[in-house]
Amino acid sequence: MPLVVQKFGGSSVATAERITAAARRAIRAKQEGNDVIVVVSARGDTTDELIELAREISEQPPAREMDMLLSTGEQISIALMAMAIQALGQPAISFTGAQIGIVTDSYHTKARIKNISTDRMRQALQEGQIVIVAGFQGVDENYNITTLGRGGSDTTAVALAAVMKHSGDSDGVVGCEFY
């Protein structure tokens, strides 16, 4: 079955209405006969707001703790997106980068992806679910949360499309769409 990775940026998930519109787009792709993986960014200005919160505490917050803090923005978005898709009558499941096995180096705030496991995503897709993945994040080999830097959700979407294309039974037909 063909696979499409749809990436929705912060403005695309900034409000409940926009999340619902994005959910409808993912459902349409599923109804057209595709397996669907959705990668989302943090909502609206969430990342900037989290950075401001950190700077209220420390002028130079530790990079590891910034990754811990900033990764929460995408986690909010994946849960809301999964809820929206489910409210529209379709099965969906949300995953953090760690939950799907995005392994990075240990360079906090600007990590690089080293490996991605596809097993958990493939299992959910085979169960008919739309898979929602938090962009921008992974874990290092010591299970520390890492982030990929600004634009990291785009990186996540492209990396997932590439690994899914070359590691399974999507018939080599994988699309990657940005919204």
Side-chain angles (χ1 to χ4, degrees):
M1 176 177 289
L3 170 76
V4 63
V5 176
Q6 295 181 328
K7 191 273 181 174
F8 294 96
S11 62
S12 295
V13 294
T15 66
E17 294 78 19
R18 289 180 180 183
I19 290 172
T20 300
R24 284 189 176 106
R25 186 175 294 272
I27 290 168
R28 266 195 311 277
K30 176 79 174 155
Q31 291 170 338
E32 291 169 357
N34 298 291
D35 282 335
V36 180
I37 296 173
V38 174
V39 176
V40 293
S41 297
R43 299 177 73 195
D45 295 325
T46 299
T47 301
D48 291 334
E49 292 167 3
L50 292 170
I51 291 169
E52 287 177 31
L53 285 175
R55 293 207 173 118
E56 289 176 14
I57 302 298
S58 171
E59 284 298 314
Q60 293 187 328
R64 181 192 182 279
E65 301 311 325
M66 286 301 291
D67 280 355
M68 185 68 73
L69 177 64
L70 296 181
S71 67
T72 64
E74 281 71 20
Q75 291 174 38
I76 292 166
S77 294
I78 61 172
L80 294 173
M81 179 66 76
M83 289 175 194
I85 291 169
Q86 292 168 11
L88 292 168
Q90 295 294 315
I93 187 167
S94 63
F95 293 116
T96 65
Q99 288 176 313
I100 60 162
I102 297 178
V103 179
T104 70
D105 61 23
S106 297
Y107 193 67
H108 289 285
T109 72
K110 293 182 182 175
R112 300 274 185 237
I113 297 172
K114 292 170 63 174
N115 186 45
I116 300 174
S117 172
T118 62
D119 295 344
R120 199 155 184 201
M121 289 182 291
R122 287 195 188 285
Q123 179 181 346
L125 292 169
Q126 287 173 359
E127 293 168 359
Q129 299 191 73
I130 295 174
V131 173
I132 318 300
V133 177
F136 178 68
Q137 63 180 252
V139 291
D140 68 11
E141 292 174 351
N142 295 313
Y143 302 102
N144 293 301
I145 293 174
T146 57
T147 62
L148 307 177
R150 289 296 190 154
S153 292
D154 291 355
T155 302
T156 302
V158 170
L160 290 179
V163 74
M164 295 298 283
K165 180 175 181 153
H166 297 290
S167 68
D169 54 349
S170 61
D171 302 326
V173 179
V174 177
C176 191
E177 304 169 352
F178 288 78
Y179 300 98

